[in-house]
Amino acid sequence: MQNWLNEKLLELNVTDKMNQPEGFNRLSFTKEEETAHEAFRKNAEELGMTCRTDSAGNIIARLETKEQQGEPARALGSHLDTVKNGGGYDGTAGVLCALGAVKKLQDENITLPFPLEVICFISEESSRFTMSTVGSKAMTGKLTKHQLDNIKDENGITLRQAMEAFGLNPENIQKAERDEKDLLSFTELHIEQGTRIEDAGCSYGAAAAIACPIRLHVHIHGKAGHTGTTPMDKRQDALVQAAELVTFVHEAALKLNENDDYPLVATASTIEARPNAMNVIPGYVKIGIDIRSVSDEQKNKMEEAIDTYLAGWTTAVEKEVIVRNDSVFLDQEMYGKLKELETTTGLKALPMESGAGHDVMNMQEKWPSGLIFIPCEDGLSHHPEEHASIKDLENGVELLYAYLTTADSR
Amino acid sequence: MQNWLNEKLLELNVTDKMNQPEGFNRLSFTKEEETAHEAFRKNAEELGMTCRTDSAGNIIARLETKEQQGEPARALGSHLDTVKNGGGYDGTAGVLCALGAVKKLQDENITLPFPLEVICFISEESSRFTMSTVGSKAMTGKLTKHQLDNIKDENGITLRQAMEAFGLNPENIQKAERDEKDLLSFTELHIEQGTRIEDAGCSYGAAAAIACPIRLHVHIHGKAGHTGTTPMDKRQDALVQAAELVTFVHEAALKLNENDDYPLVATASTIEARPNAMNVIPGYVKIGIDIRSVSDEQKNKMEEAIDTYLAGWTTAVEKEVIVRNDSVFLDQEMYGKLKELETTTGLKALPMESGAGHDVMNMQEKWPSGLIFIPCEDGLSHHPEEHASIKDLENGVELLYAYLTTADSR
């Protein structure tokens, strides 16, 4: 299995070695994502699965006996797109381990009492478009035609245009929504992107809930002017104001963690300054802020702290809410079963929450869903040095296999 | 004269109205700069001047009698390129007033005892390439072929490539250097880009010196990671560090002005964050810092303060010096004459320094040179709302005319 995992990891990453100084760049709806999807399809078909691409670009690989045709399936899956200069495990590990579980079922000559699907979701990351989990949103009927035209990448290309360039027909996007009775459950495996599993001396994590983000854009309007001729005490420098905001967000988030059981993270993660020229005082700065906690109350406290802080400014400033998603609690029964895989696999489980959003958060709204984490080195993710060991990937296969072989057809 | 100035102001700005919400965008060596240069050539020729373009792209318009051919000239001039979203007066006012002075000489039927030149310098602003005053550097022999290949715009286009695309032959760049005996003097008129003239109740400024910049790039290397899964206390957020630096630069500059006769300005004017994605902690940030004072000692103090501050960081950081230009004192005799134009014109002069670099700082290294400022509204410059009144432009014409008609041929 380890050799097979090594080989397929490279194939899904469309590379001959995982150590890439610039990481992987498979942004949403790009040629690079398409090539990885083709590698997925090839490998799923080699395992005897039947593949179809839905109208959003998700690939659904299905394994079933003749008698199981039309029956509700249990689904596994994750995504293959990455952030800019990302790693080869975020998303890919989940797709790989799901395929690994299919391989193990076949190696062991096991026929499940239900159809099995492995879903390769499209466009999970929000790096290109500000929206994340586009594929699972479409599959659960949460993607609107209005959004297709309104969400743009940094070059002004709309989601609709990107989908068309990808060979899809966005007019049919609603056809990607699946019926409730199509699936019995959905289980995602993902790298942890943190160090809590390792810190706790465990081998995997079972997630009870997902911390979904509030995302803000703060537009700061100072006054441009010549850097050489505008005295220091007569400036309205938008970057100086923005710097204060970045510092405030970091410190306020640290403080909010002192007195609460639920951790909160808040990050000023994007910045754009205009005109961004050496000899001009920045007249305008836009800051993107990402706030997450399983506790919606904590997230709201953080947003309120920012509101109060900005209200004290004399500089012209607008806050724009880009995303405000309530955090999602996963299916309690599935969560229990995933924790109990300890007994069948001998691997120690950490009950935990997810700090990041994943496709499973959309799937949970329609089907009982669960999330397994495997460790990744130093918790590093969204980074060229992102790494999960082959041993941990093999554990991931064992966990999904153990889950499937103890699940029933109801 | 006011109607003529209004009309020519529009022509040199290649527009039908000065009030442009996005300002003007005539970046160095672009089609837009070329079109403005064509407008200059047309207008200079209409005034009976003979125009030639040198190998750097500067246009030299010359007015002389047959007897004056080959004699050293007195030159006026400035530039027509702008920053991104800049105004229509920075540079343009100087070119316009110089042409206005030629027109007034003709209206008054005056033949000067020396050839007169109006120079339209190319690529004065550093917005596209990090280097400013490219045209006057070439004319004074300060531009090297090495620089042509090493200086790039944000798209990686070298200065050489940009010059080639502009129709120039960069191999001949050294031919743009002029002989010391070609010119008797150079006088630039420019908008003040500050409010000191107005604040002092004066009508124009005569500059004694020019505060040339030290420019730094500070590269901050944090560690990228997932915004949702990396706990607040385990981060190396490059933008949080950058924010502290921006605040420090602003505060240190304010402080350095408290105890010194020479004003100093320091601006963190550019910022680039990577990967600049909503769900990734910034792993790398580059800050551009522009430091200016007539006092090189003050500039050095500011740079040392930054060095000391960065030395206290645990985050990996590198400082790169992009520009370190000693401040320039202008010709004392010319400075005296420009101040004395008070008596001939009835306009009140403010003796001052220039906080910004101008083409005159290069010209001074080879020829006695001077710099006249006219006021601009609220000191606003490098901004779409940049504005100088027609009355002040007319005063500019009067000042240059008065200077020329009292100058001799030695």
Side-chain angles (χ1 to χ4, degrees):
Chain A
M1 181 57 76
Q2 292 205 354
N3 287 343
W4 185 89
L5 285 168
N6 252 323
E7 184 189 322
K8 298 305 167 187
L9 178 64
L10 294 171
E11 284 187 26
L12 292 176
N13 277 296
V14 196
T15 185
D16 57 2
K17 63 168 195 287
M18 290 303 290
N19 179 11
Q20 298 289 345
E22 297 294 310
F24 295 96
N25 285 283
R26 293 193 293 268
L27 296 191
S28 301
F29 294 111
T30 56
K31 187 71 198 159
E32 288 72 23
E33 185 179 26
E34 193 184 350
T35 311
H37 273 209
E38 282 163 9
F40 169 75
R41 181 183 276 269
K42 172 183 158 290
N43 277 292
E45 286 175 350
E46 281 175 10
L47 290 167
M49 305 186 89
T50 308
C51 293
R52 70 179 177 93
T53 300
D54 71 12
S55 64
N58 301 305
I59 304 183
I60 300 164
R62 191 169 166 109
L63 190 73
E64 60 190 353
T65 62
K66 270 188 188 164
E67 295 72 33
Q68 287 169 352
Q69 279 179 13
E71 293 297 306
R74 292 198 184 273
L76 310 175
S78 194
H79 63 97
L80 290 175
D81 63 312
T82 72
V83 298
K84 288 181 221 168
N85 307 115
Y89 300 87
D90 176 351
T92 309
V95 172
L96 175 64
C97 290
L99 291 176
V102 176
K103 178 174 164 54
K104 190 170 165 78
L105 288 168
Q106 297 185 333
D107 290 350
E108 310 275 335
N109 262 320
I110 290 174
T111 303
L112 294 172
F114 45 79
L116 174 61
E117 289 185 2
V118 177
I119 306 174
C120 177
F121 288 106
I122 198 153
S123 188
E124 194 267 350
E125 301 287 358
S126 60
S127 296
R128 181 174 174 194
F129 297 100
T130 46
M131 179 187 276
S132 69
T133 65
V134 171
S136 51
K137 277 195 177 76
M139 193 173 286
T140 52
K142 292 169 71 180
L143 187 66
T144 66
K145 283 191 185 174
H146 177 77
Q147 288 172 317
L148 297 185
D149 293 310
N150 281 275
I151 295 176
K152 293 176 185 170
D153 72 6
E154 63 184 14
N155 297 317
I157 296 170
T158 64
L159 195 46
R160 179 187 294 273
Q161 290 165 332
M163 293 178 86
E164 281 167 355
F166 200 78
L168 299 166
N169 180 355
E171 274 310 298
N172 292 338
I173 190 72
Q174 257 87 37
K175 292 190 184 161
E177 183 177 1
R178 299 181 74 179
D179 202 276
E180 212 178 313
K181 64 180 193 301
D182 285 359
L183 297 180
L184 292 168
S185 67
F186 175 73
T187 309
E188 182 163 0
L189 178 143
H190 205 278
I191 57 168
E192 181 194 356
Q193 308 179 285
T195 59
R196 292 177 58 196
I197 299 172
E198 198 186 340
D199 292 351
C202 293
S203 292
Y204 76 98
I210 293 175
C212 295
I214 293 177
R215 287 180 174 168
L216 311 174
H217 275 164
V218 178
H219 305 267
I220 304 166
H221 303 272
K223 198 139 200 175
H226 196 291
T227 55
T229 57
T230 315
M232 293 308 297
D233 56 356
K234 291 199 172 176
R235 295 178 171 213
Q236 295 174 41
D237 185 325
L239 186 55
V240 169
Q241 284 290 39
E244 289 180 15
L245 176 60
V246 170
T247 304
F248 175 80
V249 167
H250 188 73
E251 287 176 357
L254 281 168
K255 207 169 161 190
L256 273 170
N257 279 315
E258 285 169 11
N259 306 312
D260 204 289
D261 291 341
Y262 288 106
L264 169 127
V265 287
T267 316
S269 48
T270 67
I271 187 163
E272 180 195 341
R274 292 186 206 156
N276 214 30
M278 210 31 145
N279 56 351
V280 191
I281 296 167
Y284 166 85
V285 174
K286 180 169 78 173
I287 298 273
I289 301 173
D290 181 275
I291 303 170
R292 307 200 197 199
S293 174
V294 166
S295 159
D296 291 326
E297 197 189 329
Q298 277 276 80
K299 281 151 56 184
N300 293 338
K301 272 188 199 164
M302 183 69 211
E303 190 187 357
E304 283 160 24
I306 292 171
D307 289 342
T308 307
Y309 178 71
L310 295 179
W313 280 13
T314 51
T315 311
V317 63
E318 302 140 35
K319 185 194 79 175
E320 185 188 357
V321 178
I322 304 300
V323 169
R324 189 198 303 282
N325 289 339
D326 286 346
S327 292
V328 173
F329 282 81
L330 294 166
D331 182 69
Q332 284 301 295
E333 196 185 326
M334 170 87 78
Y335 171 56
K337 281 187 180 160
L338 297 180
K339 278 192 297 183
E340 284 160 22
L341 294 176
E342 281 197 323
T343 37
T344 25
T345 61
L347 299 168
K348 199 169 169 207
L350 176 70
M352 61 187 291
E353 298 94 31
S354 172
H358 297 292
D359 289 306
V360 70
M361 72 193 176
N362 297 317
M363 298 299 276
Q364 168 63 35
E365 295 193 24
K366 211 148 177 178
W367 301 286
S369 297
L371 176 58
I372 294 170
F373 284 124
I374 60 168
C376 65
E377 205 174 305
D378 295 333
L380 208 59
S381 183
H382 286 187
H383 190 282
E385 289 168 32
E386 179 182 276
H387 184 253
S389 73
I390 289 295
K391 179 65 197 149
D392 284 322
L393 291 167
E394 192 181 21
N395 286 347
V397 172
E398 292 296 328
L399 289 161
L400 293 176
Y401 173 83
Y403 167 72
L404 291 171
T405 50
T406 53
D408 56 30
S409 59
R410 280 168 301 128
Chain B
M1 180 58 77
Q2 292 205 355
N3 287 344
W4 186 91
L5 285 168
N6 252 321
E7 183 190 324
K8 299 305 168 189
L9 178 64
L10 294 171
E11 284 187 26
L12 292 176
N13 278 295
V14 196
T15 186
D16 57 2
K17 64 170 196 286
M18 290 304 290
N19 179 12
Q20 298 289 345
E22 297 294 309
F24 295 96
N25 286 282
R26 293 192 294 267
L27 297 190
S28 301
F29 293 111
T30 58
K31 186 72 198 159
E32 289 72 24
E33 186 178 27
E34 192 183 353
T35 312
H37 273 210
E38 283 163 10
F40 169 75
R41 180 183 278 268
K42 173 184 158 286
N43 276 292
E45 285 174 352
E46 280 176 11
L47 290 168
M49 305 186 87
T50 308
C51 293
R52 70 178 177 93
T53 300
D54 71 12
S55 64
N58 301 305
I59 304 183
I60 300 162
R62 192 170 165 108
L63 190 74
E64 60 189 356
T65 62
K66 270 187 187 165
E67 297 70 33
Q68 289 168 352
Q69 280 180 12
E71 293 297 307
R74 294 200 183 271
L76 310 175
S78 194
H79 64 96
L80 290 175
D81 62 314
T82 72
V83 297
K84 287 181 220 167
N85 305 114
Y89 300 86
D90 174 352
T92 310
V95 173
L96 176 64
C97 290
L99 291 177
V102 176
K103 178 173 162 55
K104 191 171 164 80
L105 288 167
Q106 296 185 335
D107 289 350
E108 311 274 334
N109 262 319
I110 290 173
T111 302
L112 295 171
F114 46 79
L116 173 62
E117 289 185 5
V118 177
I119 306 175
C120 177
F121 289 106
I122 200 154
S123 188
E124 193 268 349
E125 301 288 356
S126 59
S127 295
R128 180 173 175 193
F129 296 100
T130 45
M131 178 188 274
S132 69
T133 64
V134 171
S136 51
K137 276 195 177 77
M139 194 173 287
T140 52
K142 292 170 71 180
L143 187 66
T144 66
K145 284 191 184 175
H146 178 76
Q147 288 171 319
L148 297 184
D149 292 311
N150 280 276
I151 295 176
K152 293 176 184 170
D153 72 6
E154 62 183 15
N155 297 316
I157 297 168
T158 63
L159 195 48
R160 178 187 294 272
Q161 290 166 332
M163 292 177 85
E164 281 167 355
F166 200 80
L168 298 166
N169 180 357
E171 274 310 298
N172 292 338
I173 190 70
Q174 256 88 38
K175 292 190 185 162
E177 183 177 0
R178 299 182 74 178
D179 203 277
E180 212 178 314
K181 66 180 190 308
D182 285 357
L183 296 181
L184 292 168
S185 67
F186 175 73
T187 310
E188 182 163 2
L189 177 142
H190 206 278
I191 58 169
E192 182 195 357
Q193 310 178 286
T195 59
R196 292 177 60 195
I197 299 171
E198 199 185 340
D199 292 350
C202 294
S203 294
Y204 77 97
I210 293 175
C212 295
I214 293 178
R215 287 180 173 167
L216 312 173
H217 274 164
V218 179
H219 304 268
I220 303 166
H221 303 273
K223 196 139 200 175
H226 196 291
T227 55
T229 56
T230 317
M232 293 308 298
D233 57 356
K234 291 198 170 171
R235 296 180 169 211
Q236 295 175 41
D237 185 326
L239 186 56
V240 169
Q241 284 290 38
E244 288 180 16
L245 176 60
V246 171
T247 304
F248 175 81
V249 167
H250 188 72
E251 287 175 358
L254 281 168
K255 206 168 161 187
L256 274 169
N257 279 315
E258 284 168 12
N259 307 312
D260 205 288
D261 292 340
Y262 288 107
L264 169 125
V265 286
T267 315
S269 48
T270 66
I271 187 162
E272 179 194 340
R274 291 185 205 156
N276 214 30
M278 212 27 146
N279 56 352
V280 190
I281 297 166
Y284 166 84
V285 174
K286 180 169 78 174
I287 298 272
I289 301 172
D290 181 275
I291 303 169
R292 307 200 197 200
S293 174
V294 166
S295 158
D296 291 327
E297 196 188 332
Q298 277 276 80
K299 281 153 54 185
N300 293 339
K301 272 188 200 165
M302 182 69 212
E303 190 186 356
E304 282 159 25
I306 292 171
D307 289 343
T308 308
Y309 179 72
L310 294 180
W313 280 13
T314 51
T315 309
V317 63
E318 303 140 34
K319 186 194 78 174
E320 186 189 357
V321 178
I322 305 298
V323 169
R324 190 196 304 280
N325 290 338
D326 286 347
S327 293
V328 173
F329 283 80
L330 294 166
D331 183 69
Q332 285 301 295
E333 195 185 326
M334 170 87 79
Y335 170 57
K337 280 189 181 161
L338 296 180
K339 279 192 294 184
E340 284 160 25
L341 295 176
E342 281 196 321
T343 37
T344 24
T345 62
L347 300 168
K348 197 169 171 209
L350 177 71
M352 61 187 291
E353 298 95 31
S354 173
H358 296 290
D359 288 307
V360 70
M361 72 193 178
N362 296 317
M363 298 299 277
Q364 168 63 36
E365 296 192 25
K366 210 147 179 179
W367 301 285
S369 297
L371 176 59
I372 294 170
F373 284 124
I374 61 169
C376 62
E377 205 174 303
D378 295 332
L380 208 60
S381 182
H382 287 186
H383 190 281
E385 288 168 34
E386 178 182 279
H387 184 254
S389 71
I390 290 295
K391 179 65 199 150
D392 283 323
L393 290 167
E394 192 180 20
N395 286 347
V397 172
E398 291 297 328
L399 288 160
L400 293 176
Y401 173 85
Y403 167 72
L404 291 171
T405 50
T406 53
D408 57 30
S409 59
R410 279 169 298 125

